[in-house]
Amino acid sequence: MVSNKRDNLQKNLLRLRRKNSAMAKRVEDASSEDCKIVEGRSGDATVIYKGIQLGSSYDPRREGATIAAEIVDSEADIVIAIGFGLGHHLEALRANSPARLIVYEPSAERMKAALTARQSLTFLSDKFVDFADTLAQLFSLVDARYITGLKLQVYVHPPTMKLTPLEVHEAVAIVSRAKDFIDITIGTRVRELETWGKITMCNVGPISKNPSFRELFGRFKDVPTVVVSAGPSLDKQLPKLIEYRDRVLIVCIGQALGSLRSVGIEPDLVHVLESKRVEDQLSRVGSSDTTNLVLTNDVTGGFFDLPVRSRFIATPAADKVGRWIAGVLDRKGWTFGGSTVAHGAVSLAAALGANPIMLIGQDLAYTDGRHYAKGSAYDQVTIKFGDDGYSTIDSSSRMEMLKSTKSREPKRIRVLYVDGWYGEKVATSPSYAGFIDSYRGLAQICGDRGSEVLNCTEGGARIHGLPHLPFSEALEQHASEVVDAHRIITDVYDQWTPSNFDKFLQEIARVQKLLNKLDRNGRKGEERCEAAARELPRTNSPQRQIDLLRRIGHMEKEVRALLLSIPWIDSVVQPEIASSLAEVRRSENHHATPMQAVSEAQFLFEATQHGVVRARELLRLCSESVESSMAKEAAEEAASSGTQSADRRVRNSSSPKAHSNASAGSAGAQQGPAG
């Protein structure tokens, strides 16, 4: 590439680096052999890459404005631009549209040429513009920016389509899957936040009486670990797992326990995060007495009643209620969790220090027309494919087997086709496709912590971004030494000592006071908003408008500070926030009018008051759980003390010394009056 515009490149790289440092580094290091910068008739530069121009050689600015006008007409809330080109169309879009912009440019070489050809691109620093150069980054950005209800549009730059059609199709598919994933799973998560919060608060007592999973952090440094999920391909891996059983750490999800036990394998750790009454996953496949269980804070309470060998509490970083509980108990130390129980199990393995982490049974697809492995908790679930692009999932036979009184209608789910483990196309669901894409970021986090994740499933979907290796090869390469996992886990558990509830009682009292103050400030804020809404249309004084908004802003600041002082309250204000967040996102990059500012503030105050009502209910559940555990503990101590006293009396009355003393005492008593 012939260019004397190195200053352009450095200035533009500086801006890009603030947005995406990894991308900026790749751009800086990229080769420039296939690019050529030429001056157009208008004096603007264009780039030719492998014989194809990235922009008009006559008037690239005008071309960009025309493209932007077409996009603006669509009234999108978020535009996903695939291909940076020369950036003229992106620059024009930001100048004429409030839409948030996500730019995906997979070629560091083309990006470098464009940043060299163009003079200082100030829109690179725009807070409403994001950049990605990998599919994992693109998925993460859509996940972070898109909210159900927003209008999302994808625009593909024509030269990019000509040069790399495969990469364009992959990017479009990722965006579509990310949107489906958010619409399906994130919506469910928001709806369930309050329910999960209630379950967690009801579990405070039992949580306090079981050790945190952090007690095991780093205990299995560089130990090869197998994470077992319940996908259909698990069946073929079990014989090899039996052969290497004593040379690996096995972490399985609760649904897969039956499959392992059916071939005589007892896993080292069983991970459960179910908030529904599904304790049968463990109890109906044999005794739970030997199970080392790892629970999240929001599991159904029945899992705390099961007789197990050990029980640890794992707190994902995103679990604000759980983190509050752990903080009160001086148990800080989080896992990074994930979207599924299998993601959570991988997170546990990384926290243990495991390396590598081998995935089996992680199909995330309908392998051979099946949903789950034989012997797994959902073995009875069947799937049928229709000619209309939908599948029908029927779990009625499983419900009947469990003698459930609930009737469950078969579900119709749209079928997608993704790359398979062997390179073929395999059928999957929109939610599974999102879980596949989520693995990219999860594997990156694990890698940063020294744990490589290998997909050894040998079936199902291909998880791009992960190495794929046959299970036998992975075991031969890494599993050479005996691992005494059971001893390590049980030793840690047996040496742990529970703390008392004094700190919790103090924290409950503190939060009650904060909630009272939050409620008062929320009411004051709402009153100020109502007063401002009445007065603003009638006043022409700019200073009066400023004063009204300043009074509201002061109360907003106090309310937000109080919300931060109660970290878990997020779970009880999210339903309101989620319901109108799309509207906020639409308007956040417009210049808000005074009335819009009042309206947004009023929403905050109203949501806060609703949240306070729910928070008080959660705190009541927390108090009851603590009081119940304290009463149970006191009863156990009293019973133990009574038993010990009785034992002492029995021992004393049956010992030779006791008989001798008793006889002497009796004789002395008889002699006393006579003397």
Side-chain angles (χ1 to χ4, degrees):
M1 179 177 65
V2 179
S3 175
N4 57 2
K5 300 183 178 181
R6 296 298 176 187
D7 287 345
N8 289 351
L9 177 63
Q10 293 308 314
K11 290 178 181 178
N12 289 328
L13 273 177
L14 181 63
R15 291 188 171 93
L16 180 62
R17 192 172 290 115
R18 292 168 183 161
K19 285 299 184 75
N20 188 329
S21 59
M23 180 179 179
K25 183 67 168 62
R26 285 188 282 269
V27 170
E28 187 174 25
D29 295 342
S31 167
S32 51
E33 295 178 358
D34 295 325
C35 292
K36 182 180 180 181
I37 296 178
V38 297
E39 298 290 337
R41 296 179 185 178
S42 63
D44 289 316
T46 191
V47 174
I48 300 176
Y49 178 78
K50 295 184 177 181
I52 294 179
Q53 292 184 181
L54 300 188
S56 168
S57 59
Y58 177 70
D59 195 343
R61 294 178 183 275
R62 183 176 179 181
E63 178 188 55
T66 301
I67 293 172
E70 295 173 357
I71 299 174
V72 169
D73 285 345
S74 70
E75 297 181 352
D77 299 305
I78 301 176
V79 174
I80 313 291
I82 300 176
F84 184 83
L86 297 174
H88 290 291
H89 63 300
L90 307 174
E91 202 170 16
L93 177 63
R94 280 305 300 148
N96 296 283
S97 169
R100 179 177 282 278
L101 182 60
I102 298 174
V103 182
Y104 173 65
E105 175 51 70
S107 170
E109 187 175 3
R110 293 197 297 269
M111 189 72 174
K112 184 173 186 177
L115 298 187
T116 304
R118 295 291 310 276
Q119 293 182 4
S120 184
L121 290 169
T122 57
F123 89 95
L124 294 175
S125 301
D126 191 323
K127 67 178 181 178
F128 295 107
V129 180
D130 297 295
F131 294 90
D133 66 339
T134 68
L135 293 175
Q137 290 177 358
L138 179 59
F139 182 89
S140 296
L141 284 173
V142 177
D143 188 21
R145 304 305 185 195
Y146 172 72
I147 298 293
T148 298
L150 294 180
K151 184 175 181 180
L152 189 151
Q153 181 186 7
V154 176
Y155 173 78
V156 179
H157 195 232
T160 304
M161 184 66 185
K162 289 180 182 178
L163 289 164
T164 54
L166 181 60
E167 289 179 328
V168 167
H169 286 306
E170 288 178 340
V172 172
I174 283 291
V175 172
S176 177
R177 296 208 296 261
K179 181 181 182 300
D180 284 341
F181 174 70
I182 294 164
D183 288 340
I184 295 169
T185 62
I186 304 302
T188 301
R189 187 180 302 168
V190 169
R191 289 194 301 272
E192 295 295 332
L193 270 175
E194 186 181 358
T195 299
W196 294 339
K198 287 181 177 179
I199 294 172
T200 300
M201 288 301 198
C202 288
N203 288 338
V204 168
I207 287 170
S208 304
K209 294 305 173 184
N210 289 278
S212 167
F213 187 71
R214 73 168 189 171
E215 302 294 332
L216 292 173
F217 280 13
R219 298 275 183 167
F220 293 90
K221 180 70 174 173
D222 293 328
V223 172
T225 298
V226 180
V227 171
V228 183
S229 298
S233 296
L234 176 61
D235 304 338
K236 71 176 74 170
Q237 310 291 27
L238 294 179
K240 187 59 66 173
L241 186 58
I242 294 172
E243 182 182 340
Y244 282 82
R245 172 64 191 94
D246 62 345
R247 284 173 275 176
V248 294
L249 174 73
I250 299 179
V251 181
C252 90
I253 65 173
Q255 295 95 319
L257 180 60
S259 298
L260 293 182
R261 284 185 169 172
S262 69
V263 295
I265 298 176
E266 186 67 26
D268 298 305
L269 293 168
V270 178
H271 183 39
V272 175
L273 49 70
E274 298 280 1
S275 58
K276 294 182 171 58
R277 298 302 302 267
V278 290
E279 302 94 311
D280 66 282
Q281 289 180 1
L282 307 185
S283 59
R284 76 178 177 87
V285 295
S287 172
S288 59
D289 293 349
T290 58
T291 303
N292 295 313
L293 199 56
V294 183
L295 306 175
T296 51
N297 297 282
D298 54 0
V299 297
T300 182
F303 282 107
F304 288 100
D305 298 327
L306 286 175
V308 295
R309 178 59 185 87
S310 69
R311 188 170 15 237
F312 294 87
I313 311 301
T315 301
D319 179 6
K320 293 184 178 180
V321 182
R323 287 182 62 166
W324 172 71
I325 295 168
V328 176
L329 297 171
D330 293 325
R331 299 180 181 179
K332 294 182 179 179
W334 328 121
T335 62
F336 40 84
S339 304
T340 70
V341 64
H343 288 173
V346 172
S347 172
L348 298 182
L352 293 170
N355 186 45
I357 300 170
M358 295 170 268
L359 308 181
I360 61 173
Q362 188 59 95
D363 290 63
L364 293 172
Y366 307 135
T367 305
D368 299 328
R370 291 173 54 206
H371 214 326
Y372 297 99
K374 294 177 182 177
S376 68
Y378 301 119
D379 185 13
Q380 304 297 320
V381 176
T382 62
I383 178 171
K384 294 180 181 179
F385 296 96
D387 296 330
D388 57 355
Y390 280 77
S391 65
T392 302
I393 310 295
D394 188 354
S395 60
S396 57
S397 59
R398 178 178 181 273
M399 302 299 288
E400 183 178 343
M401 179 191 71
L402 297 176
K403 299 179 180 179
S404 172
T405 57
K406 294 182 180 179
S407 60
R408 182 169 294 182
E409 293 295 323
K411 294 182 180 179
R412 296 187 74 249
I413 300 175
R414 184 161 54 92
V415 177
L416 300 179
Y417 288 88
V418 297
D419 291 339
W421 202 93
Y422 295 103
E424 79 287 25
K425 292 294 182 182
V426 294
T428 191
S429 67
S431 58
Y432 273 3
F435 299 151
I436 294 167
D437 296 323
S438 296
Y439 256 117
R440 300 173 192 266
L442 182 63
Q444 180 64 55
I445 295 172
C446 290
D448 292 342
R449 299 191 179 191
S451 299
E452 183 181 25
V453 183
L454 307 175
N455 186 4
C456 303
T457 297
E458 295 184 74
R462 191 167 193 83
I463 304 176
H464 291 286
L466 270 63
H468 288 63
L469 193 66
F471 191 39
S472 59
E473 291 185 24
L475 291 170
E476 289 170 7
Q477 289 181 24
H478 301 286
S480 58
E481 298 181 7
V482 173
V483 179
D484 193 358
H486 184 76
R487 179 188 59 79
I488 295 172
I489 294 168
T490 55
D491 281 356
V492 169
Y493 182 78
D494 292 342
Q495 292 168 14
W496 179 79
T497 303
S499 56
N500 59 41
F501 290 102
D502 292 345
K503 290 184 178 180
F504 243 116
L505 297 176
Q506 295 171 11
E507 178 66 6
I508 290 171
R510 183 188 78 89
V511 173
Q512 285 174 335
K513 291 179 180 178
L514 289 174
L515 288 175
N516 291 339
K517 186 174 182 181
L518 189 58
D519 189 29
R520 289 194 301 272
N521 286 357
R523 293 179 188 280
K524 286 181 183 178
E526 190 173 5
E527 290 169 2
R528 291 182 183 182
C529 286
E530 291 171 352
R534 290 192 298 269
E535 187 172 346
L536 278 173
R538 300 198 299 264
T539 182
N540 294 320
S541 168
Q543 185 58 49
R544 181 54 182 161
Q545 291 181 352
I546 292 172
D547 291 341
L548 289 170
L549 295 178
R550 186 173 290 162
R551 292 182 73 240
I552 294 172
H554 174 73
M555 193 55 65
E556 268 191 288
K557 185 177 180 179
E558 287 198 20
V559 166
R560 293 185 188 279
L562 285 168
L563 288 172
L564 290 175
S565 68
I566 314 173
W568 53 266
I569 203 169
D570 176 68
S571 66
V572 291
V573 298
Q574 273 296 322
E576 276 84 8
I577 291 174
S579 67
S580 62
L581 194 52
E583 291 301 324
V584 174
R585 285 282 176 89
R586 285 194 182 97
S587 62
E588 66 182 353
N589 53 349
H590 290 282
H591 294 294
T593 65
M595 286 301 294
Q596 285 174 328
V598 170
S599 178
E600 290 182 14
Q602 187 165 11
F603 159 73
L604 170 67
F605 297 134
E606 290 174 352
T608 296
Q609 290 176 76
H610 292 151
V612 166
V613 173
R614 297 192 186 104
R616 283 174 172 154
E617 172 63 12
L618 290 185
L619 204 60
R620 182 187 66 79
L621 295 174
C622 176
S623 298
E624 290 179 354
S625 181
V626 169
E627 290 168 3
S628 175
S629 290
M630 290 176 66
K632 183 179 179 181
E633 190 177 80
E636 289 173 351
E637 288 179 359
S640 175
S641 177
T643 301
Q644 290 172 3
S645 297
D647 287 344
R648 282 196 297 271
R649 288 195 296 271
V650 170
R651 285 196 299 271
N652 290 339
S653 64
S654 61
S655 67
K657 185 176 180 180
H659 281 294
S660 174
N661 291 339
S663 299
S666 177
Q670 291 171 355
Q671 291 171 358

